[in-house]
Amino acid sequence: MLKKIFMLNIVVFSIGYSRILVDGIGRKVEIPEKVERIISTVPSNTEIIVDMGLVNILAGVDIYSEKISKELEGKGILNTDRLNEEKIMELMPDLVITSQHNLSKGKESLNIFDEVGIPVYVMKTPNSLEEVKNSIDEIGNLLNEKKKSDNLKDSYVQELEKLRLQNKKQKRVYFEILNNPIYTTGGKTFLNDVIKNAGGKNIFENQEGWISPTLESIIEENPEFIFVGEDRKEVVEDIKTRPEWQEIDAVKTGKVYFIDEGINRPSTRVLKSLKQMKEVLSNDKF
């Protein structure tokens, strides 16, 4: 089977043109000049591809990307941090676009694809709203669709500038990712940048990356607003009724909200979440 795939790819590259690009982990990857079948293993990248109007070239995606478009239903092939080697080779894509999160064995995870001639391009994950523009450019270059990516980037930039809010006094914000154990965002993350641009001040911005703070530190920082990144009213109600949280300002005033889950993904669609959070923080209502 592997030999058959390898021979097929030799034929593909021998009759077509290709380019050499350097991916996010420093690998040189040979990309076909014309890409017609791709696999995207990260929802944020899938959203950018769909928003470029190229959903038709997606031969497979991760299971979390299936709900992005009706045309992607049933195309989910990945639900872990490990690339599904068998399914990817079965689908025979021209290109796989992935991230370091999917490389459970680091660069070694890509050896099998190098052997059979399937190009896998590893993209960096944006850490800010500004860096989303880089992802749009990068995907446009990968797919040789610069006009489409430029149009999408221009639209994203215009909407982002409209939404950005720089308050003189930013509201103290706690964003709950998990409760047991407690898990949230510190500084220098994409989520932290969204909070800042919406007019908030992450109470843990002085700690870098994704963190597990103590309950005592949350109470001490006393957030004015608490957000949850999913549409689950039961989570919001749970936060409001936790006995040990009753002295926190956000709980005392009932300012606990859920935000569209797109806030977790560094793509063009995060603007919906940014708008929601901005409205809450600037108007004190949802």
Side-chain angles (χ1 to χ4, degrees):
M1 177 65 178
L2 293 184
K3 183 176 181 182
K4 180 180 178 182
I5 292 173
F6 180 66
M7 292 305 296
L8 282 171
N9 276 275
I10 288 178
V11 173
V12 170
F13 282 113
S14 66
I15 63 175
Y17 295 99
S18 61
R19 300 166 292 151
I20 302 295
L21 300 178
V22 179
D23 71 5
I25 57 174
R27 296 165 56 251
K28 291 182 179 180
V29 185
E30 188 171 15
I31 309 293
E33 189 73 17
K34 187 171 179 59
V35 179
E36 298 179 319
R37 286 177 58 81
I38 68 174
I39 291 174
S40 171
T41 70
V42 181
S44 55
N45 295 334
T46 305
E47 287 178 341
I48 291 173
I49 294 166
V50 171
D51 289 349
M52 284 173 60
L54 297 171
V55 65
N56 59 301
I57 69 172
L58 284 162
V61 294
D62 62 285
I63 63 170
Y64 307 105
S65 289
E66 284 190 295
K67 59 184 176 182
I68 292 172
S69 170
K70 287 184 178 180
E71 295 176 71
L72 296 179
E73 292 177 4
K75 291 189 176 183
I77 65 169
L78 174 73
N79 63 353
T80 70
D81 61 354
R82 185 186 67 81
L83 293 173
N84 189 330
E85 299 165 356
E86 183 176 347
K87 191 65 177 178
I88 288 173
M89 289 189 285
E90 178 185 323
L91 289 171
M92 284 297 297
D94 300 321
L95 174 66
V96 178
I97 302 177
T98 189
S99 81
Q100 286 182 275
H101 300 299
N102 296 137
L103 308 184
S104 57
K105 297 179 182 178
K107 289 185 180 181
E108 290 184 14
S109 303
L110 304 172
N111 290 345
I112 183 65
F113 301 108
D114 291 337
E115 291 174 8
V116 300
I118 295 178
V120 180
Y121 186 95
V122 183
M123 289 187 58
K124 289 183 178 179
T125 301
N127 285 322
S128 69
L129 290 163
E130 281 294 317
E131 289 182 8
V132 171
K133 295 187 297 184
N134 299 336
S135 292
I136 299 172
D137 282 335
E138 195 169 8
I139 289 175
N141 186 37
L142 273 173
L143 305 182
N144 223 0
E145 292 283 3
K146 188 176 187 303
K147 185 175 180 180
K148 285 184 170 65
S149 62
D150 282 349
N151 289 339
L152 180 60
K153 184 175 68 172
D154 289 346
S155 175
Y156 172 79
V157 170
Q158 290 172 15
E159 187 64 22
L160 178 59
E161 290 307 311
K162 290 178 185 177
L163 291 174
R164 276 184 167 143
L165 180 67
Q166 298 298 329
N167 288 345
K168 291 182 179 179
K169 185 178 184 302
Q170 294 178 308
K171 311 292 178 63
R172 300 187 309 278
V173 170
Y174 168 69
F175 194 100
E176 179 165 293
I177 297 173
L178 292 174
N179 175 46
N180 189 20
I182 294 174
Y183 195 59
T184 186
T185 180
K188 296 186 179 181
T189 67
F190 179 77
L191 184 50
N192 181 75
D193 194 51
V194 175
I195 294 171
K196 180 179 179 180
N197 278 275
K201 180 180 174 60
N202 176 11
I203 60 173
F204 293 115
E205 69 175 1
N206 292 329
Q207 299 183 47
E208 188 173 331
W210 308 97
I211 60 174
S212 294
T214 64
L215 172 59
E216 290 74 20
S217 65
I218 297 173
I219 295 173
E220 182 180 349
E221 294 294 340
N222 193 24
E224 299 169 90
F225 291 82
I226 295 175
F227 291 100
V228 177
E230 54 186 332
D231 188 354
R232 292 177 58 193
K233 292 182 174 64
E234 66 271 21
V235 177
V236 171
E237 293 306 312
D238 172 65
I239 292 173
K240 288 180 177 180
T241 57
R242 293 173 188 168
E244 64 273 29
W245 291 55
Q246 295 308 303
E247 293 307 308
I248 294 175
D249 282 352
V251 175
K252 288 193 291 186
T253 58
K255 294 177 181 176
V256 183
Y257 306 94
F258 61 79
I259 294 293
D260 183 83
E261 65 175 358
I263 196 169
N264 299 304
R265 298 194 291 272
S267 83
T268 43
R269 300 193 180 187
V270 72
L271 296 177
K272 177 181 178 181
S273 308
L274 176 62
K275 182 178 181 180
Q276 289 180 340
M277 185 175 284
K278 174 187 171 183
E279 289 176 350
V280 172
L281 294 175
S282 60
N283 301 320
D284 280 10
K285 63 183 179 180
F286 194 54

